[in-house]
Amino acid sequence: MEIGMIGLGKMGGNMALRLLRHGRRVVGFDLSPEVVSEYEQSGMAVADSLEALANRCAAPRRIWMMVPAGAPVDETLAALAPLLEAGDVVIDGGNSDYRNTVRRAAAMKERGLRLVDAGVSGGVWGLAEGYCLMAGGDAEAVEPLAPVFDALACDGAEGWAHVGPAGAGHFAKMVHNGIEYGMMQAYAEGFAILAGSDRFDLDARAIAEVWRHGSVVRSWLLDLTADALKENADLGGIAPFVPDSGEGRWTVREAIDLNIPAPVITASLLQRIQSRDDRSFAHRLLSAMRNRFGGHSVKEEGA
């Protein structure tokens, strides 16, 4: 199966390369001609415009978008839809608000097109390790994409699921990221207590390492935390500024709308907001963790 990939940035580019490694043909497009040229030199089929991308992909087309959430998604769909034909499928693999996804899917359906939303987790490690994918959309659109999801996913078919209709994939990813906020905050606070104690002169790096083996709090996030502390024990040079990319806020909003208490996720979000005017060890560690698992940029102290 052939896939058109719109957006060859860090995540989209790695996903395209993983598909190529698994024998899938990919036609890539990016707004940056330099990026397009770079991938062309690596052997990927490329297009220099959305029109060229649509023309190079055989019908029924499967076009995967990896563009920033919000207006860029609407703008891309508005430009792409007139170039497609009935039966073509567009996959939004970004972190879109699920409510926007439901609206977009309905609009695409009126044109005879289908929108599949794919919540994607795996960060910069996905190229080598594979991704966790949560797909939403009509079964008629999702099921034929199984070979693509199998190639992208960690552990093949076990690493992805069709979780429901349009919007369900982005909803599941939203909640996933809300949980991630809480887990990261718990690690950051615990290690801040270890680092702040003068009673035992504790080695947080050694404790992080031993917790990775058999402990009930072991996880991939702990592995990344241990790596960060091994490289920079006192987190010097990292500003305690922790951005949030939206999903935590949406999860808290949903919890409020559903009258479901979510104090841990809410508190972790508020801690990120507080970090904008803070110099704590915990927030420096949160920033370091985000960099480790997702490749998110780290704000340096004094910057």
Side-chain angles (χ1 to χ4, degrees), residues 6 50 63-65 67-68 70-84 88-93 96 100-109 111 113-116 170:
I6 299 174
L50 289 179
I63 309 293
W64 195 302
M65 299 189 306
V67 300
V73 176
D74 287 313
E75 292 164 2
T76 302
L77 287 175
L80 180 64
L83 306 173
L84 302 179
D88 290 349
V89 176
V90 179
I91 305 102
D92 179 4
S96 290
N100 288 332
T101 301
V102 172
R103 167 181 58 80
R104 291 165 183 152
M108 294 283 280
K109 190 172 183 178
R111 306 184 71 131
L113 307 172
R114 289 193 175 97
L115 180 67
V116 169
H170 284 153

Side-chain angles (χ1 to χ4, degrees), residues 93-133:
N95 284 326
S96 290
D97 186 327
Y98 80 93
R99 297 179 301 180
N100 288 332
T101 301
V102 172
R103 167 181 58 80
R104 291 165 183 152
M108 294 283 280
K109 190 172 183 178
E110 290 181 356
R111 306 184 71 131
L113 307 172
R114 289 193 175 97
L115 180 67
V116 169
D117 48 297
V120 181
S121 181
V124 296
W125 299 86
L127 175 57
E129 303 292 335
Y131 300 91
C132 170
L133 301 122

Side-chain angles (χ1 to χ4, degrees), residues 98-99 252-260:
Y98 80 93
R99 297 179 301 180
V252 171
R253 176 201 67 200
E254 199 68 26
I256 292 170
D257 288 346
L258 294 172
N259 288 318
I260 294 176

Side-chain angles (χ1 to χ4, degrees), residues 115-190:
L115 180 67
V116 169
D117 48 297
V120 181
S121 181
V124 296
W125 299 86
L127 175 57
E129 303 292 335
Y131 300 91
C132 170
L133 301 122
M134 299 142 268
D138 296 340
E140 295 80 1
V142 175
E143 289 175 1
L145 291 169
V148 176
F149 289 133
D150 286 349
L152 288 171
C154 178
D155 300 324
E158 294 183 358
W160 74 274
H162 181 196
V163 298
H170 284 153
F171 187 92
K173 180 56 165 45
M174 174 192 75
V175 177
H176 165 283
N177 282 24
I179 293 170
E180 178 185 289
Y181 275 43
M183 292 175 64
M184 291 173 65
Q185 185 65 33
Y187 280 128
E189 292 176 8

Side-chain angles (χ1 to χ4, degrees), residues 27-29 46-57 61 83:
V27 181
F29 168 72
V46 299
D48 59 7
S49 67
L50 289 179
E51 183 175 9
L53 179 76
N55 289 336
R56 293 201 66 174
C57 291
R61 299 173 182 84
L83 306 173

Side-chain angles (χ1 to χ4, degrees), residues 200-213:
F200 299 111
D201 190 25
L202 298 170
D203 185 343
R205 291 174 296 180
I207 292 170
E209 284 296 329
V210 75
W211 281 356
R212 296 174 62 195
H213 303 280

